[in-house]
Amino acid sequence: MNLLKSILSSLGKDAAKEVEERELELLQANVSLTTIERLKEELKGKKNLKEVLKDLLKSGKFEGTPVVLFVGTNGSGKTTAIAKLAKWYMDRGVHVIVAAADTFRAGSIEQLEEWRERIGFDLVKYHYGADPAAVAYEAVKRRKGVVLIDTAGRQETRRSLMEELKKIKRVVKPDYTVMVVDATQGVAALEQVRKFDEEVGIDGFIVTKLDVDEKGGLILSLCVETGKPVFFVSYGQGPDDFSPFNPEEYLDNLL
Ligand SMILES: Nc1nc2c(ncn2[C@@H]2O[C@H](COP(=O)(O)OP(=O)(O)O)[C@@H](O)[C@H]2O)c(=O)[nH]1
Ligand SMILES: [Mg+2]
């Protein structure tokens, strides 16, 4: 009876007011202040917070057998997400080539070789210091299905990383450019997102480490502040700790 009452009362509740009441809770879950302020403005007069948030959250879907370029800062989880997405496609009978176009970070090629042994995707690799665009181009040339392009997260200078990513994009014209974002970075990640979007242009996100930042309020901020979708989420080190983003499940956990 109490449950029914609370459901009925939450249905009738003003969504903006509910955001206001839950402000601290949302901040603690790593939803940005900008997002909260925006929600308070935009949700005025609307009812049922969960329903209106569901409309703001976007779950992206890769159409067909795409070429996907992965970008993001060092340690955000690009290489791991690539291995998991490769497995996800291979479980569905799709051929996958991974391009080891992070030719900068020591160990990055070996990391992909280890994943290849476990998962069995095709790997195109050159050597450290090679032109990342050339590696990516070769992978696309050999394409039999999906192509996933790994990239470096950091260079001697930021500028050269952005130039490198732009060059890859020019040369291979990926179907999707996806930014991998570490949920534990919280609102600090939003600044990075703006930079990558301005410089390289991104189509959406894969959000990682949701096993560490369990509420993952960053996802709400990403959707509200960029209007771009989240394609997949990652929540662990295992190859199957990975799935398409499900807004409904996410909201049940956040609120
Ligand atoms: N707990 C946890 N760790 C992750 C997840 N995704 C990646 N990692 C770890 O984060 C670290 C950096 O990942 P990596 O894929 O090398 O990042 P990259 O530099 O962007 O390629 C590694 O130790 C990964 O095992 C995740 O969803 N949960
Ligand atoms: Mg990497």
Side-chain angles (χ1 to χ4, degrees):
M1 207 51 209
N2 269 343
L3 181 66
L4 185 64
K5 243 188 212 158
S6 82
I7 290 172
L8 284 174
S9 79
S10 86
L11 279 176
K13 217 176 204 168
D14 184 82
K17 259 209 194 91
E18 199 175 345
V19 170
E20 205 169 308
E21 281 168 20
R22 288 172 175 254
E23 185 160 336
L24 190 59
E25 192 189 325
L26 291 170
L27 282 170
Q28 278 165 349
N30 273 331
V31 177
S32 81
L33 193 56
T34 312
T35 299
I36 293 172
E37 292 305 328
R38 222 142 124 178
L39 290 174
K40 283 198 280 194
E41 273 306 306
E42 285 174 26
L43 304 189
K44 263 181 201 155
K46 297 194 174 161
K47 302 271 180 250
N48 196 350
L49 182 61
K50 226 176 233 180
E51 284 305 313
V52 285
L53 289 185
K54 218 190 297 165
D55 287 339
L56 292 175
L57 288 167
K58 290 203 183 83
S59 170
K61 203 167 169 245
F62 296 135
E63 300 293 339
T65 48
V67 174
V68 186
L69 174 63
F70 283 66
V71 303
T73 56
N74 229 1
S76 59
K78 291 178 296 299
T79 305
T80 310
I82 283 173
K84 292 173 175 183
L85 185 58
K87 180 170 190 299
W88 190 86
Y89 273 116
M90 290 173 70
D91 285 348
R92 286 157 184 80
V94 179
H95 186 269
V96 178
I97 297 183
V98 174
D102 176 357
T103 62
F104 180 76
R105 187 183 188 177
S108 66
I109 298 175
E110 289 78 4
Q111 193 185 351
L112 275 175
E113 278 171 336
E114 276 171 34
W115 278 113
R116 173 188 54 185
E117 273 165 35
R118 287 172 76 178
I119 290 170
F121 50 76
D122 274 0
L123 182 63
V124 172
K125 52 168 183 159
Y126 288 2
H127 52 83
Y128 289 104
D131 180 0
V135 185
Y137 183 77
E138 170 89 19
V140 172
K141 215 170 67 187
R142 291 211 230 147
R143 159 183 206 179
K144 292 184 219 157
V146 166
V147 179
L148 307 177
I149 303 167
D150 197 12
T151 63
R154 189 179 290 143
Q155 289 280 26
E156 302 92 317
T157 64
R158 236 203 123 79
R159 183 112 295 270
S160 70
L161 171 63
M162 294 304 173
E163 292 311 318
E164 178 179 306
L165 295 174
K166 280 188 217 171
K167 182 175 172 188
I168 300 175
K169 214 169 161 174
R170 254 194 333 266
V171 169
V172 305
K173 299 183 180 62
D175 299 297
Y176 299 94
T177 301
V178 171
M179 182 160 177
V180 177
V181 184
D182 174 345
T184 68
Q185 298 290 302
V187 293
L190 293 165
E191 191 51 40
Q192 297 293 334
V193 165
R194 271 187 282 277
K195 280 189 187 136
F196 274 82
D197 194 30
E198 258 173 47
E199 297 265 357
V200 187
I202 55 179
D203 299 305
F205 309 98
I206 288 178
V207 179
T208 65
K209 308 192 192 179
L210 291 166
D211 52 321
V212 186
D213 190 307
E214 289 182 0
K215 293 274 179 189
L218 179 61
I219 289 182
L220 182 59
S221 289
L222 286 172
C223 290
V224 168
E225 292 181 37
T226 72
K228 297 179 197 292
V230 174
F231 291 97
F232 283 85
V233 289
S234 167
Y235 38 83
Q237 313 254 3
D240 292 312
D241 299 326
F242 188 76
S243 46
F245 173 53
N246 180 334
E248 213 152 318
E249 256 174 43
Y250 170 73
L251 283 176
D252 283 343
N253 182 52
L254 179 71
L255 296 175

